[in-house]
Amino acid sequence: MPTFFAKKVFSCQITSVMRATIDKFGRVLIPKKLRDEAGIDNGTEFELEFDIFSNSIILKQFPAVQPYVEYTEWGWPVIMYQEEEKVYFDIKNFINEGHEERGRKLLGLDD
């Protein structure tokens, strides 16, 4: 059976181009100027992706801020963020976890 690959298409605005070298421990030092531009601090987490078509490694900043749910006076759930910043949020996973939690409660498995 053949394997098919789909190329991701995304747009970006490149503001800086710099070189970095991998040391003998496999670490890459991101230059300070670039860290400052991107707002990267010590301990910032990243997701790494490898694009086989461009032979590129893509770093995506992983947010420390996680959304939470509040309910309106009518009982409607509202997704809230502690700070106003862009975060990664997997709505499918969030809904599935809610369904699983509700199922456990209905079955009396979760007290």
Side-chain angles (χ1 to χ4, degrees), residues 65-100:
V65 177
Q66 292 297 321
Y68 60 96
V69 176
E70 284 187 4
Y71 292 89
T72 65
E73 59 189 69
W74 303 287
W76 290 89
V78 178
I79 299 171
M80 305 292 290
Y81 300 91
Q82 291 185 10
E83 298 176 17
E84 287 188 28
E85 58 181 75
K86 220 176 199 179
V87 297
Y88 170 78
F89 182 68
D90 184 353
I91 189 71
K92 287 182 181 179
N93 188 39
F94 180 78
I95 291 171
N96 287 338
E97 286 176 359
H99 286 166
E100 289 175 12

Side-chain angles (χ1 to χ4, degrees), residues 54-67:
S54 65
N55 197 31
S56 300
I57 295 174
I58 301 164
L59 295 174
K60 290 185 179 181
Q61 193 167 344
F62 192 77
V65 177
Q66 292 297 321

